[in-house]
Amino acid sequence: MPARMKNPAMVLPDAMKGIQNLYKAMHQGGVPQRTLELVHLRTSQINGCSACVDAGVRTARKVGETDERLFAVAAWRETPYFTDVERAALALAEAATRLADRADAVSDEIWNEAAKHFDEKGLSAIILMIATTNLFNRLNATIKEQAGASWS
């Protein structure tokens, strides 16, 4: 099934320029790209964005992520495959994506654990990855973008 329309970020070129600047900035935060890709993947899984899950897995593999860990991202709490640093990033991704699930969406406990592992630049990079992923998830859900889509 084709998407309803071309991705809005591609229709309006200035939007894509802004998004590319966000990606450039988040990669300057000192967070390993593999961690950022795990955050992207988990956020996209929560939102049910097939296009971003597909693209996220492909990108994560390109930066050295293993299938074993990629298969386990949805159940990261119950697996031994992730470091405490990655777990803190994944917990933050889940909380910041599920804002309406509880009154204190990003609890002090989740925040403090993340802040224990990441400085302000690192936290900024992770928060920007979560926000940008949520942006793309919402664009893709609205236009019904399919997994394997090419945004060129």
Side-chain angles (χ1 to χ4, degrees), residues 1-4 143-147:
M1 169 176 30
R4 290 175 168 158
I143 66 169
K144 295 192 176 200
E145 190 70 77
Q146 299 296 299

Side-chain angles (χ1 to χ4, degrees), residues 47-143:
N47 288 323
C49 181
S50 68
C52 285
V53 168
D54 182 73
V57 167
R58 292 175 192 278
T59 302
R61 281 184 178 145
K62 286 180 186 175
V63 298
E65 197 52 79
T66 65
D67 283 344
E68 180 177 56
R69 284 167 40 99
L70 291 172
F71 294 147
V73 169
W76 62 269
R77 286 180 179 83
E78 292 81 29
T79 66
Y81 307 131
F82 303 98
T83 67
D84 289 343
V85 173
E86 292 165 334
R87 290 174 185 281
L90 289 165
L92 184 58
E94 286 186 0
T97 298
R98 293 180 162 146
L99 295 175
D101 286 359
R102 57 181 176 245
D104 186 16
V106 180
S107 68
D108 288 341
E109 178 184 359
I110 290 169
W111 179 262
N112 292 339
E113 184 64 22
K116 190 166 78 175
H117 297 286
F118 299 100
D119 62 12
E120 196 167 58
K121 280 186 167 185
L123 288 168
S124 296
I126 292 168
I127 294 166
L128 285 171
M129 177 57 89
I130 296 163
T132 305
T133 300
N134 274 288
L135 166 71
F136 267 108
N137 294 165
R138 280 147 180 77
L139 293 174
N140 291 332
T142 303
I143 66 169

